[in-house]
Amino acid sequence: MFLVTLMLGGCGLPVIEPVEYDTAVGDEVLVRFDIGKMSVGKSSISPDEDVICDLNLYAYSNGVLVASEYFEENSWVSLKLLYSHSYNLYALANVGRLYAPADEVDFLNECVIDLKSMSDMGERLPMAWHMEEFVVSSLSERVHIRFDR
């Protein structure tokens, strides 16, 4: 009888609401970047041409470099960014490690990939991506990167 009472008594248990964490402006959030396929206008490209072997990821806020990382052979990458802040994000793939200048204007004007020849890259093609005015708005922020050539 006690077991039946306990089982029936369980029906009246209070519903536990999910915990919501307060995130204040300026709190650090780990933003995950998922690397997708690049944008391709033709279907006659070699399968090796969409391989991503390395990735440079940069975040600028108010024209200043605030975060950058270099990754090799990952399907996703991450940066620590501040909650409720706005960023211009940039990614360069298959170009080796590139150190970005502290000033975003310099990055946009001077970030030139110096390739002696395409044979330096093998069959990998350099790719780029950017997103302007990205605002970190949640604790589990995800950004999908879709590369262009």
Side-chain angles (χ1 to χ4, degrees):
M1 187 64 143
F2 174 73
L3 183 58
V4 172
T5 305
L6 183 62
M7 288 172 55
L8 293 176
C11 294
L13 291 176
V15 176
I16 298 173
E17 296 295 325
V19 177
E20 290 191 24
Y21 296 98
D22 289 333
T23 304
V25 173
D27 285 351
E28 206 170 63
V29 174
L30 190 65
V31 178
R32 177 178 166 153
F33 295 83
D34 296 314
I35 303 168
K37 296 285 186 183
M38 64 182 170
S39 298
V40 178
K42 300 177 185 177
S43 61
S44 61
I45 60 172
S46 163
D48 289 340
E49 290 181 5
D50 63 355
V51 171
I52 297 170
C53 296
D54 59 67
L55 177 74
N56 294 276
L57 186 58
Y58 312 106
Y60 285 87
S61 183
N62 296 319
V64 177
L65 181 66
V66 294
S68 67
E69 291 290 338
Y70 174 73
F71 304 92
E72 292 181 318
E73 299 180 15
N74 288 338
S75 60
W76 66 272
V77 296
S78 62
L79 285 178
K80 288 183 180 179
L81 300 175
L82 299 180
Y83 178 76
S84 195
H85 281 239
S86 178
Y87 297 93
N88 289 339
L89 305 171
Y90 302 91
L92 299 173
N94 296 335
V95 295
R97 183 185 300 263
L98 293 177
Y99 296 98
D103 186 82
E104 186 174 12
V105 173
D106 291 341
F107 173 79
L108 294 172
N109 291 331
E110 299 172 14
C111 189
V112 177
I113 302 163
D114 181 24
L115 299 176
K116 294 183 177 44
S117 71
M118 281 306 285
S119 64
D120 292 346
M121 301 304 295
E123 292 201 23
R124 299 175 297 150
L125 292 178
M127 295 179 263
W129 169 88
H130 78 281
M131 176 185 282
E132 294 181 7
E133 298 182 16
F134 168 75
V135 176
V136 179
S137 59
S138 75
L139 287 174
S140 58
E141 195 74 56
R142 291 178 83 150
V143 177
H144 299 279
I145 295 176
R146 187 168 175 87
F147 282 104
D148 293 318
R149 292 194 241 184

